Amino acid sequence: QKAVASQREGRFADAAQWYGVVLAMHPGHADILHNRGVCLQSIGRLDEALACYNGALAARADFVAALCNRGAVLKDLRRLDDAIACFNRVLALQPDFAAALINRAAAMLALGRFNEALQDSERVLRQHPDLAEALNNRGVALKQLDRGAEALASFDAALARRNDDAVALENRGALLADLGRHAEAA
């Protein structure tokens, strides 16, 4: 209960510690390992989070949330091919899992695979047209594919959903600068 309460309150270091205490009593428990991984990931302890997700998946191979979070950690560790493999496994189990599609698109963008990133982004947006992250990923892919007007519309749509999205604002500004619209970019 202390672990769950700490996690709900955003005290992730405390929650991770409490989940560790529970794991000492119940080693290999998939849900506890997953929750501890989420907390560790939230505070940037990515290698430890990865170990937790690996443990959760060893206990329950089809644990989709743990698999998706494992992929996100691998993406953040710049192990992009491994991350994409994780997201592919998630999508084999749940073909429309939005978080896996968004994260796979981000990994594809980092690898310069812009058409694939665009396909994943548009696939998410067909199901969830208001997801700012997917709109932003779509905008980045379109920008890289020299489709500036469409990219700008995608960034604008992302900002309409979350007007404080620093990443979308930065991407929009960079695109405007590329288009020679420097006053708007500033």
Side-chain angles (χ1 to χ4, degrees):
Q1 289 177 342
K2 288 182 180 185
V4 171
S6 295
Q7 186 174 1
R8 283 188 186 140
E9 294 168 4
R11 295 183 293 114
F12 299 114
D14 291 343
Q17 184 177 356
W18 284 114
Y19 283 125
V21 170
V22 177
L23 280 170
M25 295 181 282
H26 303 282
H29 190 286
D31 292 316
I32 297 166
L33 282 162
H34 175 257
N35 288 346
R36 186 165 196 263
V38 168
C39 294
L40 292 166
Q41 184 177 358
S42 296
I43 58 175
R45 291 167 53 185
L46 299 180
D47 290 323
E48 293 171 84
L50 183 60
C52 286
Y53 296 139
N54 289 341
L57 290 164
R60 196 164 78 216
D62 63 347
F63 194 162
V64 173
L67 190 55
C68 190
N69 287 334
R70 180 180 187 272
V73 166
L74 290 167
K75 178 179 64 74
D76 290 345
L77 291 170
R78 307 298 296 162
R79 293 174 50 189
L80 299 173
D81 290 326
D82 293 335
I84 289 169
C86 270
F87 300 132
N88 288 343
R89 283 184 52 205
V90 170
L91 294 166
L93 296 167
Q94 290 187 14
D96 292 319
F97 198 90
L101 287 164
I102 289 168
N103 279 299
R104 186 171 74 176
M108 295 290 188
L109 289 171
L111 289 169
R113 294 165 60 180
F114 305 121
N115 283 312
E116 291 165 278
L118 179 60
Q119 289 171 1
D120 279 350
S121 299
E122 290 183 342
R123 186 170 155 191
V124 172
L125 291 167
R126 280 192 292 277
Q127 297 289 323
H128 310 281
D130 291 333
L131 286 177
E133 285 179 282
L135 288 161
N136 189 55
N137 284 346
R138 181 180 182 273
V140 172
L142 289 166
K143 177 185 179 212
Q144 295 300 323
L145 294 168
D146 293 322
R147 294 167 59 184
E150 292 172 88
L152 186 58
S154 200
F155 294 138
D156 287 343
L159 290 165
R161 273 89 182 155
R162 280 195 345 224
N163 65 356
D164 63 343
D165 185 333
V167 175
L169 282 167
E170 181 180 348
N171 287 333
R172 185 179 190 277
L175 174 61
L176 288 168
D178 289 349
L179 295 172
R181 295 165 57 180
H182 300 290
E184 288 177 82

